[in-house]
Amino acid sequence: MVRKHRTGPAGLTDGGGAEPAAMPSGAALSEAADVELVRAVLLLGGVPWGELDDGVQQVRLKLLETQARQTGEVIRKRQAWLSVVASRVAVDWHRARARDAGLHERLATRWQQRPPVEHSEEDRLLALAVADGLEGLPAVQRQILALRFYTDLPVREIARLLDIPEGTVKSRLHTAVAAIGARLREMEVI
């Protein structure tokens, strides 16, 4: 017996649990059912509720990247593909949290080893302005500035901790220093 299923928008089928149709190269992650599937996989993967939308966006980005790389090919089992990519995003989320926790622990240990220093009122005001300027920067720039200047880590060690090339660390550091300088000039601190 052959069952026929109608294919709905974005390659979804309607009818008793059949596999979805092949995903056309122009289809995006916009169907409510697809988004709910991705959110469910992310939740089951341990991603907190407040970060689900970011995870969905990451899956959407992977979908667009895959479609851009493929020349005429289609993703045959859309829901399976979305589930696998969402589970990988969840794993990446946990890895990033573990890496950040390790960096925070090392940072706290380094600060505990330093003797307390008395600072002038002017130094305290400058420190507050720098902290305020740092808050306005993207997380990647804050991270690289903190690792280099607050923990005095060399570029090689930062590259090893973040698992990125030294050239990337230098590039990000250059961009971050320029950005914090611009923020401090806007705030008329320097």
Side-chain angles (χ1 to χ4, degrees):
M1 177 176 155
V2 177
R3 293 177 70 186
K4 291 186 179 182
H5 300 280
R6 293 183 323 190
T7 302
L12 296 177
T13 61
D14 57 339
E19 283 295 327
M23 184 170 61
S25 61
L29 180 62
S30 60
E31 289 291 321
D34 291 345
V35 172
E36 289 307 311
L37 170 71
V38 168
R39 289 173 65 86
V41 171
L42 291 171
L43 263 176
L44 290 171
V47 176
W49 187 261
E51 307 226 4
L52 291 180
D53 290 336
D54 291 339
V56 169
Q57 291 303 321
Q58 288 179 25
V59 172
R60 191 172 274 139
L61 178 62
K62 295 282 187 199
L63 177 61
L64 292 173
E65 288 171 348
T66 300
Q67 291 170 346
R69 275 194 314 268
Q70 295 177 345
T71 54
E73 293 181 35
V74 294
I75 296 171
R76 298 262 174 229
K77 297 182 179 183
R78 180 182 180 94
Q79 291 180 335
W81 187 92
L82 291 172
S83 297
V84 168
V85 172
S87 67
R88 289 180 184 159
V89 167
V91 168
D92 289 345
W93 183 88
H94 286 289
R95 285 184 184 148
R97 294 308 165 271
R99 185 181 64 228
D100 288 349
L103 290 174
H104 288 290
E105 184 178 308
R106 286 187 202 100
L107 182 61
T109 302
R110 285 197 115 149
W111 278 104
Q112 289 174 354
Q113 295 172 353
R114 294 182 180 200
V117 178
E118 289 296 321
H119 296 286
S120 68
E121 184 65 26
E122 185 178 311
D123 288 343
R124 284 187 226 138
L125 291 174
L126 180 59
L128 288 172
V130 169
D132 188 46
L134 283 171
E135 283 183 19
L137 297 179
V140 171
Q141 290 180 350
R142 281 194 314 268
Q143 179 186 45
I144 208 82
L145 285 173
L147 291 173
R148 180 66 186 105
F149 296 113
Y150 285 92
T151 63
D152 296 324
L153 291 177
V155 169
R156 176 174 284 147
E157 181 68 9
I158 295 170
R160 187 186 67 74
L161 289 172
L162 298 178
D163 195 28
I164 58 176
E166 286 183 44
T168 302
V169 172
K170 291 176 183 177
S171 174
R172 288 181 184 176
L173 188 58
H174 176 76
T175 304
V177 167
I180 190 70
R183 293 269 307 158
L184 293 176
R185 279 190 289 284
E186 281 177 16
M187 297 165 54
E188 298 180 356
V189 174
I190 58 171

